[in-house]
Amino acid sequence: MDPQRQSPSPCSSRPSSPRSPCREALGYVGIDALLDQLKIKAMKMGFEFHIMVVGQSGLGKSTMVNTLFKSKLCKSTLPGLGVPTSQTLRLQSVTHVIEEKGVKLKLTVGLGSRPSWDPILGYINDQYERYLQEELLITRQHHIPDTRVHCCVYFVPPTGHCSLRPLDIEFLQRLCRTVNVVPVIARADSLTLEEREIFRHRIQHDLRTHSIDVYPQKCFDNDVNDRLLNSKIRERIPFAVVGADQEHMVNGRCVLGRKTKWGVVEVENMEHCEFLLLRDLLIRSHLQDLKDITHNIHYENYRVCRLNQSHVLPRGPGWVTLTAAPTCAPATPRPSKAHLQVHHKPDKEC
């Protein structure tokens, strides 16, 4: 048996079209019922999603999370003071179960400030390590709890007059190697429409110049439809967003928005901000794709790196013991064809 095994490449980890010719059945078989079976099973198990929101304090990270899921998931300000709570000043995660039309979503939200990337990357890698340790058990759980971070929303301060700062560039470069990153322009209502577009183009230029591959990545577009949809999204990234968790009356209708001296900034109005684009990307169109890329690419990077650092015990084929988790993330954003040395003991003849 060849002792070397190749880890799956990014292309092989994505679904591929079948080569076998499609044949029409002579009569009704019931294959279409598979969709109903999958739906029933998924409804019973529920779904898990872990999102992290990163940025400097005071940019409305907690409010944005509450706006995305229309729930009081995070406390944004102290009553009557309007100052950030301690939750936005340190890395902390909260978990809630949200149910809508019979669909249950176990949502984990991580909030982190931006003084250093070490706590953020350490938290992300800790979740990968926890999942890996569960996978390596001889007797594994029927369903391994998925606490891995599927998406990181990075808040860019609305400076307007300049592009990304060196700290933002370094932070994004490190994050993109480990997790799916979606940058947004926070508190976009502080910029005029012209300033917002200029600022967006400058950020896009910085992302290209410094090879920062944010989500959705071009190399993971599976077909023409994905390419067309994701190209439109990439043209608008970073989204200019405004968060608000209070409703106001505007022209006889109740809208979600933020009241100012000159009017109400409507969160769900595309003429005011691009919150709808962010919500559609994270929840309505790309949630499962975020989870797939996390499992097949980012987690696979971490898994290959850890197994390459491990020592194989002689107690059985494929039995692996791991040393202490590394403090750094894998150096490359996509897994190469790394070789894992795994020693197998010859099976005893019965």
Side-chain angles (χ1 to χ4, degrees):
M1 181 181 297
D2 187 1
Q4 292 184 337
R5 297 182 301 175
Q6 290 185 347
S7 61
S9 64
C11 297
S12 62
S13 62
R14 310 293 288 172
S16 59
S17 58
R19 297 180 180 179
S20 302
C22 181
R23 297 182 180 275
E24 292 290 338
L26 298 179
Y28 178 73
V29 178
I31 299 176
D32 56 345
L34 286 173
L35 296 177
D36 296 331
Q37 298 175 36
L38 293 175
K39 180 180 179 180
I40 293 174
K41 185 176 181 180
M43 294 279 284
K44 289 180 179 179
M45 293 184 60
F47 300 89
E48 296 171 316
F49 188 60
H50 193 161
I51 183 174
M52 175 173 280
V53 184
V54 176
Q56 71 182 44
S57 301
L59 292 181
K61 299 187 296 294
S62 302
T63 303
M64 178 57 62
V65 171
N66 295 336
T67 309
L68 274 173
F69 299 97
K70 294 188 176 181
S71 303
K72 294 291 184 179
L73 301 177
C74 305
K75 295 181 181 180
S76 55
T77 57
L78 292 175
L81 296 180
V83 298
T85 65
S86 58
Q87 288 182 335
T88 62
L89 301 179
R90 67 178 187 271
L91 181 61
Q92 186 173 349
S93 64
V94 294
T95 302
H96 295 271
V97 176
I98 302 177
E99 184 173 355
E100 184 179 56
K101 296 183 179 180
V103 180
K104 293 183 179 181
L105 176 66
K106 184 179 180 182
L107 175 68
T108 303
V109 179
L111 296 174
S113 58
R114 200 202 51 179
S116 172
W117 49 75
D118 288 337
I120 307 297
L121 294 176
Y123 176 82
I124 295 172
N125 287 329
D126 285 345
Q127 309 312 310
Y128 290 151
E129 181 70 18
R130 180 182 300 182
Y131 194 90
L132 179 60
Q133 292 294 339
E134 290 289 338
E135 277 193 336
L136 293 177
L137 293 176
I138 296 179
T139 305
R140 295 188 294 183
Q141 302 183 47
H142 177 67
H143 172 70
I144 300 177
D146 189 3
T147 61
R148 297 169 296 182
V149 179
H150 302 116
C151 181
C152 177
V153 180
Y154 189 87
F155 276 52
V156 178
T159 56
H161 60 277
C162 63
S163 55
L164 290 175
R165 293 174 289 188
L167 178 60
D168 293 318
I169 293 174
E170 182 69 21
F171 213 128
L172 287 169
Q173 285 178 332
R174 293 174 179 264
L175 279 177
C176 286
R177 300 169 187 166
T178 313
V179 69
N180 299 312
V181 179
V182 177
V184 298
I185 301 174
R187 297 191 179 278
D189 55 329
S190 62
L191 303 174
T192 65
L193 296 180
E194 293 77 11
E195 292 173 340
R196 194 173 74 182
E197 290 304 315
I198 294 175
F199 191 40
R200 188 203 313 275
H201 291 314
R202 288 177 177 175
I203 294 176
Q204 291 176 346
H205 178 266
D206 285 344
L207 295 177
R208 291 191 299 267
T209 301
H210 297 279
S211 301
I212 300 175
D213 201 10
V214 298
Y215 183 86
Q217 301 90 336
K218 289 184 179 180
C219 58
F220 298 147
D221 293 342
N222 292 325
D223 50 35
V224 177
N225 293 330
D226 286 350
R227 194 176 302 112
L228 291 176
L229 174 61
N230 292 337
S231 296
K232 295 179 180 179
I233 295 174
R234 284 188 283 265
E235 291 175 358
R236 306 305 303 172
I237 284 182
F239 300 131
V241 298
V242 176
D245 49 11
Q246 295 182 357
E247 294 182 340
H248 303 275
M249 294 298 299
V250 177
N251 298 328
R253 55 191 180 91
C254 191
V255 298
L256 192 66
R258 197 162 70 86
K259 191 173 183 180
T260 62
K261 294 181 180 180
W262 53 86
V264 176
V265 180
E266 300 179 27
V267 171
E268 297 178 326
N269 188 339
M270 284 294 295
E271 295 182 356
H272 294 186
C273 72
E274 297 170 338
F275 166 79
L276 292 180
L277 298 180
L278 177 64
R279 184 186 64 185
D280 290 348
L281 174 69
L282 297 180
I283 303 174
R284 301 188 178 185
S285 62
H286 287 70
L287 188 149
Q288 186 59 47
D289 188 63
L290 286 165
K291 298 181 64 174
D292 291 342
I293 292 181
T294 298
H295 179 76
N296 297 327
I297 305 301
H298 297 299
Y299 171 69
E300 191 66 18
N301 275 338
Y302 183 86
R303 176 179 171 275
V304 169
C305 178
R306 293 290 284 122
L307 292 181
N308 280 333
Q309 296 173 349
S310 66
H311 301 283
V312 179
L313 295 179
R315 285 187 280 180
W319 180 284
V320 179
T321 180
L322 296 181
T323 57
T327 57
C328 60
T332 57
R334 291 180 294 274
S336 60
K337 294 185 177 181
H339 296 282
L340 308 182
Q341 297 290 342
V342 180
H343 302 281
H344 296 275
K345 293 183 65 178
D347 298 334
K348 296 182 180 179
E349 295 182 356
C350 299

